[in-house]
Amino acid sequence: MEQFFTQLTNGLAVGGIYALIALGYTMVYGVLKLINFAHGDLFTIGAYLGLTLLTSLALTDHIGGIAGILLLAVMAMGLVGIIGILLDRAAYKPLRTSPRLSAVVSALGASIVLSNTVMLVYGPSTRVYPQGLLPSQVFYIFGLPVPVMRFIILGASILLMIGLYVFIQRTKIGTAIRAAAIDQDAARLMGINVDRVIMLVFFIGPALGGAAGVMVGLYYGQITFTMGWTYGLKAFTAAILGGIGNIPGAMVGGLLLGVIEALGAAYISMAWKDAIAFFVLILILIVRPTGLLGERVAEKI
Amino acid sequence: MSLLQVENIIKRFGGLLAVDSVSFSVPRGAVFGLIGPNGAGKTTVFNLITGNYGPNGGSVIFQDRDITGQPTHRIVAAGIARTFQTIRLFANMAVIENVLAGCHCRMRSGPVAAMLRLPSQHKEERQALSKAMAELEFVGLFDQAENLARNLSYGNQRLLEIARALASDPRLIILDEPAGGMNELETAALVSLIARIQARGITVLLIEHDMSLVMKACEQLVVLEYGKKIAEGTPAEIKKNPLVIEAYLGSDDEDF
Amino acid sequence: MKPAAGQIRKTAYAAIILLWMVAPLFIGKYWTDVLNNVAIYAVLGLSLNIILGYGGMFHMGHAAFYAVGAYTTAIVNTAWGVPVLWLMPAAGLAAGLFALVVARPIIHLRGDYLLIVTIGMVEIVRIALINNVFGITGGANGIFGISSPSVFGFQVNSIVAPAHYFYLVTAFLAITIVLFYLLENSRFGRALKFLCSDEVAAQGSGINTAGYKLAAFVIGAVWAGMTGTLYASKMGFISPESFSFWESVVMFMIVILGGSGNIAGVLLGAALIIGLPEIFQGLQQYRLLIFGLALMIMMIFRPQGILPPKPRSYPIDKLEKNEVSF
Amino acid sequence: MKRLLFLILTGIVAATANPALAQDPIKIGLMCPLTGSWAAEGKDMKQIVELLADQVNNEGGLLGKEVKIVIGDDSGDPRTAALAAQRMATREVAAVIGTYGSSITEASQNIYASANIIQVANGSTAVRLTEKGLPYFFRTCPRDDEQGRVAVKTLLDSGYENIAILHDNTTYAKGLADEAKKLLDQKEVNIVFFDALTPGEQDYGTILSKMKTKDPDVVFFTGYYPEAGLMLRQKMEKGWDVPFIGGDATNNPDLVKIAGNKAAEGFRFLSPPVPGDLPTKEAREFLEAYEAAYHTTPGSIWAVLAGDGFRVIVEAIKQTQSTDTQKMADYLHNEMEGFSGLTGDIAFNQKGDRIGDVYRVYRVDAGGNFVLTE
């Protein structure tokens, strides 16, 4: 029981980050039916930009710890969002009317370009975030130690996700995004500027990925230029698990994937952890072919 | 003697009862019509017959064999071919290749025969090709064989779907709004095409909104409304049926 | 002007084949070995093309089948000393059986769901290999001491003489091209293209779509497995890192970049995806960056792939009039 | 026009005659991962070898000729490595240094062997690489079994009875873990845990929690420094104070940066000595020159071992006054003795393995420095 509880918190903390990155996949997919394979690298860029901003501006020294970190995160999100828009312009916009898989290859090319750019700019070595910016206390829940940062990570991810959900469900722009996701042509006829919607989606998704990057950097302390590939694949898995194109699905998928990994590692085998996660994914998809929260539409014939 | 019997068939989509215990039987050699207002469940009945949807109850008997819930390709092999309400052609392929799709289920050779280029496979290909050309000639698209399907006119695309269905040597052909998008001339030609199909000994089951075509072409009709059968009979009987008149007036359909 | 264009194309193909065949005499060991890699990936691309190109199934886990073939070869060869080329059918069979088992439950998944499941499949295989599943895969070390192929008693050592290996792998590539060309232009190839174009219509025309999808997976897997034999015997050792998800991505890119569903396109794709990084070798750490940019640019300028397939033509003019009847 | 033709002709003559000229450089190959996951190692290897080559050239070169480094990128992947080796073999190199990763080296071994080129590997510790009887293969790094032996001795000397072994499923870490397990199984200790983590992740809470349930006296981690650093910190956060001992892949200053001084303190690891610990003139000069050139210290010991590879090759050329492979190999096998390398004295046995006790045990002190314990 003790192990179960500990592993649950472990899984939820990692799952929160998966979920945050998964949102970027799912939003872009929802509107464009495109798997943005470069999304994981935007996450990496977020982590590296966060490091640059942190060390060059010394925000935390000027305006205090928490405020500095928040400002830092917002700046990194904004920058990564802009890079996301540029990425769309360069790699995907010219391929809007092409077969879907062509855009996937372009995305893979973009992923190679982005990760190698990071390598050339920042060097291939592991980079380390300054330590001691975040609280390192440990909570004791029923006598079990749980680092407070795990709650902060999970809390921040959930807060961002709820914010996004409210934005998509309650605001006019959010409605436009949902409309464009259902039928671009119809949305256009209703006077929605679909190009603007796509731009917005390519801002928000990468921005959330960038936020995840900063969080990973701040909490775990070390970042490498290849980490986007691992996280990206996991987050994509999470998005599919929840039902791609579905925002609550990405959240559920991410958290669930984190928990499956943690429990699989604890109770079955650590070395087989990723294999267990994929195996569960496959089982779930066999039973529910469009993911947990994906819509099951009978094709109109 | 009936070729196809639909018995108390039921289909639900979530909470919606799309087809509610519908029964009818199609006599061998007939031209049989299924009519009703939009959303009455006509196409759903077709999809249940051809195995595109699995029914929630009831059965489909074809040539005295229960084919309920069988996969579509088996049903085609058993002798039921169909066209689609929204045209479903292989748009980027040649017209002739589209018809060859229909020949598929009457051919045998597999991948190994193809890779070894066995003489039997070669002969079969040749026969299929001439069969496909013959079907194109039958529907009047002989000279379009090498065109891409998407370059055909709307009316001709409907004809191509019919040719593809005929190429599978069906006993029963199901036409889902064959005159949809056709002009008057084309519709008239379609009526005579249906007659020629019947003359080949193929039973025809069709959905159509163009009532003049239905009245001219069909020998017997079933009327659906809200998933239920409300009437059955010859065109003349149906025309007089008060339930049918009400159903159509209620839906403001001017075709009737 | 049609015949002239056809004539030009034929001449061009003949010239390329001739150049390919004599190339090892002029280009030295290194570039010959690059061509060996191109040929191996061309076969892999062609085998994936059956699934992805004709069948239209988003399959990004082809390296799993390649791995099964390579490991079958390595295990049997090192344990019992069976000559590697004899093991080609066994490797193909093992990969085909593996495909039959794993593809059956997932075949009905659509688009991106199939994509992630196939990615999951290749990852599970890689992790299984690393964890020394059944105690026979050698774990992360892999298996070493695989013998080189021998043709009629003549040892084909790809390391000492890449040119000898070149003709072996070229022969396999040539056989593959011919067989797959025949397959493409058959009832089977046509059925795959139908279900790729419109699955519902294909079913409605009487095509057993699930069966054909499965068959496509199995044939693609058999070929990838046999290519695994060639790879294992070329390297002399194999380890799990040669069968990562990235290998699958490389094969996927070959098919899509070259022209999904077209044999010539896939061959060109293999030459570009495998050849370009080598051309950029001199750029050292910049080479992958340039390669990624090249990928993006090529996709933007040729969104359908560089050589998209042409509609197939049928010899209807050769049919005699009296044949056209019921 | 005639003049132009003349120029071209003389150019051709000069080019073809070039090999005979004294100023034709001696080429030494360096195969390293400049792209891919191990690019950091490759970059260090390149910087170190190029720096040492510059030094040789500034001192008048080798046999009166310039030394030129020819670089090949192996991407840390066997297939690319085989191509890179084929390419290297065509470029008339006198010998090759590299590479990092045992399976990557293995992909290139036979190619160099068949081309009669000396290969000095720097980061490939798998035992089997030198068990094949290749006459021209050497390595400056020790083997897994040697490290396993030292690790087991350290563990036993410290009096631990319940030992957890954690690796990361890479060839190297798994090899070392297996080696240690094999030796420990013969002793009076319990291996209470033996499993792998997935490298490249950031949250190892799951693994730590699982290990903790087995309550080991010590954890022997055979993987790399990023994971070790993260685990040290996350273990402290969890309030678990089990000691960790690492293999030589944890020898990297970034370990302390990742873990933080407090969490890293007391961590011990095995490693060949770092140049900073060597009293030799060569090592001190090298470190100074490296810092002057790149404003940092070398990241990993493996890259420094590539530097030793270069120095060994240069020494062999110098001593034999030739670039003949057989002569150089004979010298390296039989005559080289106590050659002062950056990582201590170097000599090779007949298999091409480095002779001598290379391993030391280091400990991280409160200031985050690596201190030699013996």
Side-chain angles (χ1 to χ4, degrees):
Chain A
M1 197 58 218
E2 177 183 329
Q3 186 180 357
F4 179 80
F5 179 77
T6 318
Q7 297 298 14
L8 199 65
T9 56
N10 289 335
L12 287 174
V14 183
I17 289 170
Y18 290 164
L20 212 48
I21 308 171
L23 285 174
Y25 279 105
T26 236
M27 284 190 76
V28 168
Y29 187 90
V31 175
L32 285 174
K33 303 287 171 279
L34 164 79
I35 310 160
N36 180 11
F37 267 106
H39 186 64
D41 298 296
L42 294 171
F43 156 82
T44 313
I45 289 176
Y48 274 90
L49 285 178
L51 177 64
T52 304
L53 292 172
L54 191 65
T55 48
S56 62
L57 300 182
L59 286 173
T60 46
D61 297 344
H62 295 310
I63 57 172
I66 301 297
I69 285 171
L70 284 178
L71 185 62
L72 168 84
V74 169
M75 287 169 74
M77 283 172 77
L79 286 173
V80 178
I82 291 168
I83 293 172
I85 293 172
L86 294 176
L87 171 72
D88 173 50
R89 287 286 144 90
Y92 305 138
K93 205 169 183 211
L95 294 166
R96 286 275 198 271
T97 55
S98 318
R100 287 184 50 204
L101 293 181
S102 307
V104 168
V105 171
S106 183
L108 289 164
S111 166
I112 298 174
V113 170
L114 290 179
S115 66
N116 279 279
T117 305
V118 171
M119 180 189 97
L120 291 169
V121 172
Y122 287 95
S125 317
T126 303
R127 297 294 295 262
V128 179
Y129 262 62
Q131 291 297 301
L133 295 172
L134 297 171
S136 59
Q137 288 94 333
V138 177
F139 269 161
Y140 284 87
I141 303 174
F142 308 123
L144 299 171
V146 181
V148 68
M149 267 315 292
R150 300 207 161 212
F151 285 106
I152 296 179
I153 293 259
L154 185 60
S157 327
I158 290 179
L159 218 62
L160 281 168
M161 288 187 266
I162 292 174
L164 178 70
Y165 190 70
V166 170
F167 172 75
I168 296 284
Q169 293 295 331
R170 297 286 162 79
T171 64
K172 213 176 153 191
I173 309 171
T175 312
I177 292 178
R178 279 186 292 145
I182 293 165
D183 188 334
Q184 281 196 24
D185 293 328
R188 215 170 257 127
L189 290 174
M190 304 309 287
I192 292 171
N193 185 340
V194 173
D195 285 336
R196 283 264 289 284
V197 166
I198 291 172
M199 206 169 100
L200 194 65
V201 162
F202 264 106
F203 182 84
I204 297 174
L208 291 173
V214 175
M215 271 162 57
V216 161
L218 282 171
Y219 177 42
Y220 297 111
Q222 59 118 9
I223 53 178
T224 54
F225 75 100
T226 51
M227 70 179 186
W229 188 244
T230 319
Y231 272 95
L233 187 59
K234 286 287 169 60
F236 177 43
T237 308
I240 292 272
L241 185 62
I244 195 159
N246 180 313
I247 287 173
M251 304 180 199
V252 172
L255 293 174
L256 188 66
L257 186 68
V259 171
I260 292 172
E261 279 187 7
L263 296 183
Y267 292 106
I268 304 173
S269 161
M270 263 160 37
W272 289 79
K273 180 179 66 103
D274 286 4
I276 294 165
F278 278 119
F279 191 69
V280 172
L281 170 86
I282 292 171
L283 285 185
I284 290 176
L285 287 183
I286 288 171
V287 181
R288 290 193 62 98
T290 50
L292 290 172
L293 301 186
E295 287 158 46
R296 297 220 269 178
V297 280
E299 194 176 356
K300 178 133 177 67
I301 295 163
Chain B
M1 164 88 203
S2 67
L3 179 72
L4 175 81
Q5 281 165 274
V6 176
E7 289 168 2
N8 296 321
I9 203 149
I10 296 170
K11 180 69 190 173
R12 269 185 225 100
F13 291 114
L16 176 78
L17 195 55
V19 177
D20 184 1
S21 199
V22 169
S23 304
F24 58 89
S25 103
V26 180
R28 200 178 286 272
V31 176
F32 195 96
L34 193 58
I35 63 170
N38 283 324
K42 304 179 297 284
T43 298
T44 308
V45 169
F46 274 16
N47 285 333
L48 290 168
I49 295 172
T50 55
N52 292 88
Y53 297 156
N56 298 102
S59 57
V60 181
I61 313 287
F62 180 68
Q63 290 186 323
D64 300 326
R65 264 180 53 215
D66 189 346
I67 57 164
T68 321
Q70 288 219 4
T72 305
H73 65 96
R74 288 254 177 78
I75 290 174
V76 176
I80 302 180
R82 72 172 298 178
T83 67
F84 295 90
Q85 182 181 5
T86 50
I87 293 175
R88 278 186 174 259
L89 287 168
F90 308 112
N92 287 320
M93 295 187 198
V95 165
I96 177 74
E97 204 160 8
N98 271 272
V99 184
L100 282 170
C103 298
H104 182 91
C105 66
R106 303 294 166 221
M107 296 165 76
R108 284 292 153 257
S109 52
V112 177
M115 288 200 271
L116 300 178
R117 210 165 192 192
L118 297 179
S120 63
Q121 182 258 351
H122 206 57
K123 188 170 164 230
E124 191 183 67
E125 276 288 302
R126 235 176 130 74
Q127 281 170 344
L129 203 57
S130 60
K131 163 82 174 157
M133 287 309 291
E135 293 299 354
L136 279 180
E137 192 168 33
F138 184 76
V139 300
L141 291 176
F142 189 82
D143 50 351
Q144 302 284 344
E146 287 180 283
N147 248 335
L148 288 188
R150 68 175 140 95
N151 295 339
L152 293 186
S153 73
Y154 208 71
N156 280 348
Q157 292 192 3
R158 291 250 179 240
L159 294 179
L160 177 54
E161 273 209 326
I162 294 174
R164 182 175 69 188
L166 287 172
S168 71
D169 275 338
R171 307 305 312 149
L172 172 72
I173 185 167
I174 298 184
L175 307 176
D176 197 342
E177 295 193 29
M182 282 189 173
N183 61 31
E184 269 175 46
L185 253 145
E186 287 170 327
T187 308
L190 180 67
V191 173
S192 82
L193 176 64
I194 291 172
R196 284 192 292 131
I197 293 173
Q198 189 184 19
R200 276 169 67 175
I202 299 169
T203 309
V204 181
L205 173 59
L206 61 85
I207 294 176
E208 192 45 70
H209 277 292
D210 183 338
M211 281 306 146
S212 64
L213 183 145
V214 171
M215 294 303 157
K216 258 183 261 172
C218 297
E219 294 153 9
Q220 215 176 342
L221 294 176
V222 162
V223 189
L224 294 186
E225 191 192 13
Y226 298 122
K228 281 198 173 103
K229 184 168 90 171
I230 56 168
E232 182 167 7
T234 63
E237 288 163 4
I238 294 296
K239 252 185 196 169
K240 286 182 234 140
N241 187 315
L243 276 171
V244 179
I245 292 168
E246 194 190 336
Y248 270 84
L249 286 177
S251 71
D252 289 332
D253 201 310
E254 287 170 14
D255 288 336
F256 201 69
Chain C
M1 281 288 96
K2 238 182 167 180
Q7 204 61 45
I8 290 169
R9 182 144 32 94
K10 270 184 194 162
T11 317
Y13 281 160
I16 290 169
I17 292 170
L18 193 72
L19 272 179
W20 177 270
M21 292 308 290
V22 299
L25 305 177
F26 303 102
I27 57 176
K29 279 186 178 183
Y30 163 57
W31 284 107
T32 304
D33 210 36
V34 173
L35 292 188
N36 287 340
N37 276 278
V38 168
I40 285 180
Y41 279 84
V43 180
L44 288 171
L46 288 173
S47 69
L48 176 62
N49 187 38
I50 298 215
I51 305 167
L52 173 65
Y54 304 145
M57 288 171 277
F58 292 11
H59 170 39
M60 220 188 236
H62 210 50
F65 305 140
Y66 182 40
V68 170
Y71 269 86
T72 306
T73 308
I75 292 165
V76 179
N77 175 263
T78 52
W80 294 292
V82 181
V84 273
L85 286 186
W86 293 14
L87 286 171
M88 233 168 154
L93 198 68
L97 280 176
F98 178 73
L100 196 64
V101 172
V102 298
R104 189 180 279 277
I106 61 172
I107 208 89
H108 65 283
L109 292 174
R110 276 171 213 282
D112 310 292
Y113 293 93
L114 184 64
L115 188 83
I116 193 75
V117 164
T118 51
I119 292 173
M121 174 183 77
V122 77
E123 279 295 282
I124 292 175
V125 167
R126 188 181 62 86
I127 293 167
L129 293 175
I130 287 181
N131 283 309
N132 200 5
V133 69
F134 310 130
I136 52 174
T137 68
N141 276 315
I143 297 174
F144 53 97
I146 305 162
S147 40
S148 42
S150 117
V151 180
F152 304 119
F154 179 75
Q155 283 294 318
V156 183
N157 190 326
S158 75
I159 287 162
V160 181
H164 295 169
Y165 185 83
F166 172 87
Y167 290 105
L168 177 71
V169 70
T170 296
F172 186 59
L173 175 62
I175 292 168
T176 306
I177 293 173
V178 171
L179 292 184
F180 283 12
Y181 176 79
L182 291 172
L183 194 65
E184 178 186 330
N185 294 299
S186 74
R187 174 171 175 262
F188 181 83
R190 217 163 38 220
L192 288 182
K193 283 188 269 178
F194 291 141
L195 78 86
C196 172
S197 164
D198 184 336
E199 198 172 336
V200 173
Q203 265 172 1
S205 309
I207 291 162
N208 177 2
T209 49
Y212 272 92
K213 282 179 174 181
L214 196 58
F217 255 98
V218 171
I219 292 180
V222 166
W223 241 264
M226 293 200 288
T227 318
T229 302
L230 284 183
Y231 178 77
S233 67
K234 173 179 190 294
M235 298 294 284
F237 83 100
I238 50 171
S239 61
E241 57 217 311
S242 297
F243 307 99
S244 63
F245 167 45
W246 182 250
E247 282 302 294
S248 298
V249 170
V250 165
M251 297 175 209
F252 189 88
M253 292 195 295
I254 285 172
V255 173
I256 303 295
L257 176 77
S260 169
N262 182 13
I263 290 176
V266 173
L267 297 177
L268 181 65
L272 286 173
I273 299 272
I274 302 302
L276 279 185
E278 292 308 318
I279 289 172
F280 300 143
Q281 257 287 359
L283 299 168
Q284 298 184 10
Q285 67 264 47
Y286 296 94
R287 73 192 182 106
L288 284 187
L289 179 77
I290 305 288
F291 173 66
L293 276 175
L295 267 184
M296 285 166 66
I297 292 167
M298 286 190 288
M299 263 0 274
I300 287 164
F301 283 97
R302 298 287 299 192
Q304 316 290 321
I306 296 171
L307 290 177
K310 288 198 183 64
R312 182 177 161 194
S313 69
Y314 286 86
I316 49 172
D317 45 340
K318 286 184 195 150
L319 286 175
E320 291 161 34
K321 185 66 190 167
N322 61 9
E323 271 187 282
V324 183
S325 60
F326 300 113
Chain D
M1 194 64 214
K2 252 185 181 170
R3 197 179 148 74
L4 186 69
L5 195 68
F6 175 75
L7 277 176
I8 293 171
L9 277 177
T10 46
I12 291 170
V13 171
T16 47
N18 225 10
L21 296 180
Q23 58 266 42
D24 189 43
I26 293 178
K27 291 190 209 162
I28 294 176
L30 170 66
M31 205 168 81
C32 58
L34 288 173
T35 53
S37 312
W38 301 115
E41 295 290 343
K43 188 184 174 193
D44 278 0
M45 287 164 69
K46 175 170 179 266
Q47 287 184 345
I48 288 174
V49 171
E50 282 180 344
L51 177 75
L52 292 171
D54 284 349
Q55 287 176 354
V56 170
N57 287 332
N58 290 340
E59 288 160 15
L62 192 56
L63 310 185
K65 296 176 195 174
E66 183 200 357
V67 173
K68 194 162 170 266
I69 301 299
V70 178
I71 290 173
D73 175 19
D74 61 49
S75 285
D77 149 66
R79 186 179 63 79
T80 313
L83 281 180
Q86 289 283 12
R87 185 163 185 262
M88 193 68 86
T90 61
R91 300 183 73 185
E92 294 167 342
V93 289
V96 175
I97 306 156
T99 183
Y100 187 76
S102 293
S103 52
I104 319 302
T105 299
E106 184 152 26
S108 67
Q109 263 186 319
N110 288 330
I111 293 168
Y112 292 127
S114 75
N116 290 332
I117 295 174
I118 287 188
Q119 178 177 20
V120 186
N122 60 307
S124 318
T125 54
V127 172
R128 68 172 190 264
L129 296 184
T130 41
E131 296 293 330
K132 298 173 170 175
L134 295 177
Y136 306 136
F137 182 80
F138 299 87
R139 54 179 157 191
T140 50
C141 57
R143 310 199 320 183
D144 287 342
D145 51 356
E146 163 71 5
Q147 189 181 176
R149 199 180 54 73
V150 179
V152 166
K153 185 170 172 290
T154 311
L155 290 168
L156 294 174
D157 288 352
S158 310
Y160 298 122
E161 282 168 5
N162 297 309
I163 296 167
I165 298 178
L166 181 66
H167 61 96
D168 66 4
N169 255 336
T170 58
T171 317
Y172 157 74
K174 180 86 190 312
L176 176 53
D178 284 341
E179 211 51 59
K181 183 173 187 296
K182 199 170 75 191
L183 294 169
L184 283 172
D185 279 340
Q186 301 158 5
K187 310 282 185 203
E188 296 278 302
V189 291
N190 303 319
I191 296 175
V192 293
F193 181 94
F194 188 91
D195 208 338
L197 55 77
T198 309
E201 293 184 337
Q202 257 126 348
D203 197 316
Y204 292 108
T206 308
I207 284 138
L208 291 168
S209 303
K210 190 176 179 189
M211 274 197 293
K212 197 179 170 192
T213 59
K214 307 287 183 199
D215 198 24
D217 299 336
V218 65
V219 175
F220 178 42
F221 176 62
T222 62
Y224 293 79
Y225 68 92
E227 287 79 25
L230 285 167
M231 277 194 295
L232 288 173
R233 202 169 55 139
Q234 289 166 20
K235 146 179 109 71
M236 183 183 72
E237 286 173 0
K238 284 176 164 299
W240 188 29
D241 56 0
V242 68
F244 260 57
I245 292 182
D248 55 13
T250 57
N251 177 1
N252 190 307
D254 277 349
L255 173 109
V256 182
K257 283 198 220 156
I258 296 165
N261 286 356
K262 205 171 138 212
E265 187 188 349
F267 174 70
R268 289 192 288 168
F269 60 85
L270 313 161
S271 173
V274 292
D277 289 324
L278 289 168
T280 61
K281 186 166 86 41
E282 287 85 354
R284 268 202 315 276
E285 278 175 4
F286 165 72
L287 266 194
E288 278 162 23
Y290 191 89
E291 283 198 60
Y294 305 115
H295 311 292
T296 175
T297 48
S300 94
I301 187 68
W302 307 109
V304 178
L305 288 167
D308 268 345
F310 175 80
R311 288 169 47 82
V312 162
I313 290 167
V314 167
E315 180 69 9
I317 293 174
K318 229 187 260 174
Q319 295 296 331
T320 58
Q321 287 289 305
S322 90
T323 54
D324 180 86
T325 301
Q326 189 58 48
K327 281 184 192 157
M328 285 162 68
D330 286 343
Y331 173 78
L332 290 174
H333 277 305
N334 306 322
E335 290 169 53
M336 180 175 268
E337 208 172 297
F339 173 68
S340 178
L342 301 174
T343 55
D345 288 353
I346 299 176
F348 296 98
N349 64 16
Q350 289 306 312
K351 289 177 178 171
D353 276 319
R354 189 167 168 179
I355 297 172
D357 279 343
V358 186
Y359 278 100
R360 306 281 185 280
V361 180
Y362 282 85
R363 190 175 164 281
V364 182
D365 71 7
N369 305 306
F370 294 167
V371 200
L372 207 55
T373 58
E374 288 149 288

